[in-house]
C-alpha cells in the first residue's frame, strides 16, 4: 500500500455482515484509492472470548483510524447485552446519523422520484438508556432532550444542506404533546435555522402528520432533522419508500470519528448463504468515500450500483434476481472498470 492509503477500521459484524463486508471491500479496492483495513471483531461471535460484544480494541482502533466501515451486529432482545450499535455511537460521540433515501431505477416501488436525507440525533432522547422499574408492575423510560445536542444536530443538518446543494430542512417533532422535551428540540432547530435564513428554507412537521405526508407525497421533502426515536422509525419508513432495507445506507458521524453502516440488521436466516444484498453496505462505503474526501470516486461507485440495479440482470433475490452477494459485487466491479 502506498503512503496515501487510508487506514480504515473494518468491523464485519454478525450474520450476513462478513460476506457483505468482503463484497464491499472488493468494490472499494477496485476504486484504486488504496485502503489498509484494520479488521476487528465485535458482536455475538466475540462474547465467549471477551465477555462483551464490544471489546476495547474495537473502540481503540476507531479512535486511532477515526473512520470505520461496519457490518450489522445482532442485538439479543430483552435481557442480555446492551446494543453494540448504541454503545458505539455513545462511546465515540457519533451524534449525527445520516440516512439518505433516494429512488433507483429498476426497483419496484410506489414512487419514482424520492430524494430524502434523514438526519437523526444519535445520542439522547429515549435511547439514552435510562430505564427503571417502579415496583413490579410499572416501568419508566426517561426521554432526555438537551439544547446543546438539539442545536448541534440542527447545525449538522443545515451544514449538510449547504454542502450538498439542498434547499430545505424540515424539523420533525411532537411538540404539541411533549411541550418541554420536543418543544426544546423545535426551539433549538428554529434558533439554528435563523442563521441560514435566505440560504436554506426551514419548516417543521408533527411526526404523525409527517408519516402521512411521506407515504402520500414524499417528493415534496428534502432534508429531515429528527430526535433519536422518530429518526429511527422515519428512516426505516423512508428506506421502504425507495426499495427496502437491502438498499438503505447510513453513516454515524461525530466530531472525532465516523462509522459507516447499513440501516439493515444481521438477517441471521441468510447468514453464510451468499444471498444477501450488498448494496446498503456498498452505498454506506460510498458515503465514507465522500467523508474521506473522494466525492468523484463516491459518485462512480454509486453510479455503478445504480446501473447494475437498473439493468436488473445480476441482482440479489430481494430485487427479483438470482445472483448471489459475491456475483452482485463482481457486476459492480466490472462497471467500475468499464
Ligand atoms: P434485519 O434488517 O436483519 O432483517 C429483516 C429482513 O430484511 C431480513 O429477514 C431480510 O428479509 C431483509 N434484509 C435485511 N438486510 C438485507 C440484505 N442486505 N439483503 C437482503 N435482504 C435483507 O432486521 P431484524 O431481523 O429485525 O434484525 C436482526 C438482528 O439485527 C437483530 O439482532 C437486530 O438487533 C440487529 N440489527 C442490527 C443493526 C445494526 O447493526 N446497525 C440494525 C438493525 C438490526
Amino acid at each position: 500500500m502506498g503512503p496515501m492509503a487510508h487506514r480504515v477500521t473494518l468491523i464485519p459484524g454478525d450474520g450476513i455482515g462478513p460476506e457483505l463486508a468482503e463484497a464491499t471491500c472488493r468494490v472499494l479496492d477496485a476504486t484504486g484509492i488504496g485502503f489498509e483495513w484494520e479488521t476487528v471483531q465485535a458482536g455475538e461471535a466475540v462474547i465467549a472470548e471477551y465477555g462483551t460484544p464490544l471489546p476495547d480494541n474495537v473502540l481503540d482502533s476507531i479512535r486511532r483510524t477515526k473512520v470505520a466501515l461496519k457490518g450489522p451486529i445482532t442485538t439479543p432482545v430483552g435481557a442480555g447485552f446492551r446494543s453494540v450499535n448504541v454503545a458505539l455511537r455513545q462511546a465515540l460521540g457519533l451524534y449525527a446519523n445520516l440516512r439518505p433515501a433516494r429512488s433507483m431505477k429498476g426497483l419496484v416501488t410506489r414512487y419514482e422520484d424520492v430524494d430524502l436525507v434523514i438526519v437523526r440525533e444519535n445520542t439522547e432522547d429515549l435511547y439514552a438508556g435510562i430505564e427503571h422499574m417502579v415496583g413490579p408492575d410499572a416501568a419508566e423510560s426517561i426521554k432526555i432532550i438537551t439544547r446543546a445536542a438539539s442545536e448541534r444536530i440542527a447545525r449538522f443538518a443545515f451544514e449538510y444542506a449547504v454542502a450538498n446543494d439542498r434547499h430545505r430542512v424540515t424539523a420533525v417533532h411532537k411538540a404539541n404533546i411533549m411541550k418541554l422535551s420536543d418543544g426544546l428540540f423545535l426551539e433549538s432547530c428554529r434558533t439554528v435555522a435563523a442563521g441560514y435564513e435566505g440560504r436554506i428554507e426551514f419548516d417543521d412537521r408533527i411526526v404523525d402528520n409527517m408519516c402521512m405526508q411521506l407515504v402520500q407525497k414524499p417528493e415534496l421533502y428534502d432534508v429531515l432533522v429528527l430526535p433519536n426515536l422518530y429518526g429511527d422509525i422515519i428512516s426505516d419508513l423512508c428506506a421502504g419508500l425507495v426499495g427496502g432495507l437491502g438498499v438503505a445506507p447510513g453513516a454515524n458521524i461525530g466530531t472525532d470519528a465516523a462509522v459507516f453502516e447499513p440501516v439493515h440488521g444481521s438477517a441471521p436466516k441468510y447468514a453464510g448463504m451468499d444471498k444477501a444484498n450488498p448494496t446498503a453496505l456498498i452505498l454506506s462505503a460510498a458515503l465514507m468515500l465522500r467523508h474521506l474526501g473522494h466525492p468523484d470516486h463516491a459518485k462512480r461507485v454509486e453510479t455503478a450500483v445504480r446501473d447494475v440495479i437498473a439493468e436488473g440482470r445480476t441482482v440479489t433475490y430481494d430485487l427479483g434476481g438470482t445472483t448471489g452477494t459475491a456475483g452482485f459485487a463482481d457486476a459492480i466491479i466490472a462497471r467500475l472498470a468499464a
Side-chain angles (χ1 to χ4, degrees), residues 16 20 70-76 85 89 245-246 261-270 275-278 280 316-318:
I16 55 175
L20 300 184
K70 174 184 164 297
I73 287 176
T74 301
T75 305
N85 307 305
R89 291 166 199 167
L245 287 174
E261 62 174 343
V263 173
H264 66 70
S266 54
K269 70 178 176 201
Y270 294 121
K275 276 194 83 166
N277 186 348
T316 41
Y317 81 94
D318 56 314

